[in-house]
Amino acid sequence: MSTTIEKVKCLIIGSGPAGYTAAIYASRANMFPVLYQGSQPGGQLTTTNEVENWPGNPEGITGPEMMVNLQAQAQRFGADIRDGWVSKVDFSGPIHKVWVNDEKEIHCETVIISTGASAKYLGLPSEQHYLQMGGGVSACAICDGFFYRNQEVVIVGAGDSACEEAHYLSKLCKKVTMLVRTENFRASKIMEERVRKTENIEIMLNTETVEVLGDDQVVTGVKVLNKSTDQEQSIPATGFFVAIGHKPNTDIFKEYIDLDETGYIKSIPGTSKTNVKGVFVGGDAADHVYRQAITAAGTGCMAALDAERYLASLE
């Protein structure tokens, strides 16, 4: 362990739209923020090929390019952007203690948590291949559905979010095939009825995904197994959507920060404040409803403003 303790006025944990926006605002407020990017610099958007719903980019922008721009903007105002991930925290006392890479200890006046949430995937090699290729695998219908207008797609999931995304896709796509891995939906009855009544949604119960098919560049179909009949079939599709949930990246905070039953950070309504004074949250670590770049950026702004006001109250 390092014997040198660094003192920081504002520490931002995690990158992505929330973290970088917080860094922009904190820098402009002379809070001299230090931001640790985490294990995935730029967050989930670095796996998104095209972003067409970010305001101010009429021709669209790639996820990685967007994150590079946000980082550069934060650095322009003096934000200290660093590699590394926060491995441990201690928010039990008046000094917020944070450890980076299990070595470096930092004492912080304020902390902004923007660690995001990670989409859950099936883990199939073919799924991961096309996800990394940007060739037809997605965990966000609202983000990527536009690219599949008038095409046929497959979505996996059985909860309210899966039903919502399937219904959203049905307005854009020629056909949506919904794969439910058991005999029953987990969704509320009203959401289940909505997809059942949508003409261009075909529901396949008791059906597992075996392989995402493609030409090595883009998705061309999905091989599935009907567990009742033990028969396999291939479904033509240009898009494969996974809607089996998200896991917020908040485990290291659970001893000190109030979380909901699924691990999302609870904030005081209308603010970015957590139950610990001087610790704030922005982005998908606290948002299980919208999960969009623009809402993450907005709450990152709120977190920086709340942190600035907190510091002012101490003077």
Side-chain angles (χ1 to χ4, degrees), residues 160-215:
D160 279 350
S161 293
C163 290
E164 187 174 336
E165 297 218 331
H167 190 255
Y168 178 86
L169 289 168
S170 72
K171 298 175 183 178
L172 301 171
C173 302
K174 186 188 304 181
K175 180 182 178 182
V176 178
T177 301
M178 190 171 188
L179 307 181
V180 177
R181 292 181 286 181
T182 62
E183 292 183 356
N184 301 297
F185 280 82
R186 288 185 294 101
S188 58
K189 287 298 180 184
I190 190 168
M191 293 300 293
E192 179 181 346
E193 284 302 310
R194 182 179 295 176
V195 295
R196 286 189 180 277
K197 289 179 179 178
T198 304
E199 290 185 1
N200 63 334
I201 296 179
E202 179 182 350
I203 298 165
M204 299 179 69
L205 300 176
N206 249 350
T207 303
E208 291 272 8
T209 304
V210 176
E211 183 182 2
V212 179
L213 305 172
D215 61 4

Side-chain angles (χ1 to χ4, degrees), residues 2-145:
S2 172
T3 56
T4 304
I5 296 174
E6 182 180 7
K7 295 185 178 180
V8 169
K9 182 175 283 191
C10 177
L11 180 73
I12 301 170
I13 305 174
S15 44
Y20 287 140
T21 301
I24 291 168
Y25 275 80
S27 298
R28 289 169 59 86
N30 290 329
M31 293 164 64
F32 311 105
V34 172
L35 182 151
Y36 278 95
Q37 294 180 304
S39 58
Q40 188 178 12
Q44 283 193 87
L45 273 175
T46 57
T47 66
T48 302
N49 201 35
E50 294 288 340
V51 180
E52 295 201 325
N53 54 8
W54 180 259
N57 291 103
E59 302 303 319
I61 188 171
T62 69
E65 183 183 4
M66 178 178 157
M67 291 303 99
V68 167
N69 289 347
L70 284 176
Q71 178 178 335
Q73 188 171 355
Q75 289 174 315
R76 174 190 165 203
F77 296 114
D80 185 351
I81 311 292
R82 302 178 182 177
D83 293 331
W85 63 92
V86 170
S87 50
K88 177 185 173 185
V89 301
D90 182 353
F91 296 156
S92 61
I95 298 173
H96 306 117
K97 300 176 182 179
V98 171
W99 285 263
V100 178
N101 299 348
D102 291 319
E103 296 176 350
K104 184 179 181 65
E105 183 175 349
I106 302 176
H107 289 183
C108 320
E109 293 182 52
T110 60
V111 175
I112 295 174
I113 299 170
S114 57
T115 48
S118 300
K120 296 178 182 177
Y121 289 94
L122 300 178
L124 298 171
S126 55
E127 169 201 60
Q128 294 302 303
H129 171 76
Y130 289 106
L131 175 65
Q132 292 163 13
M133 292 291 293
V137 173
S138 172
C140 181
I142 294 173
C143 309
D144 299 327

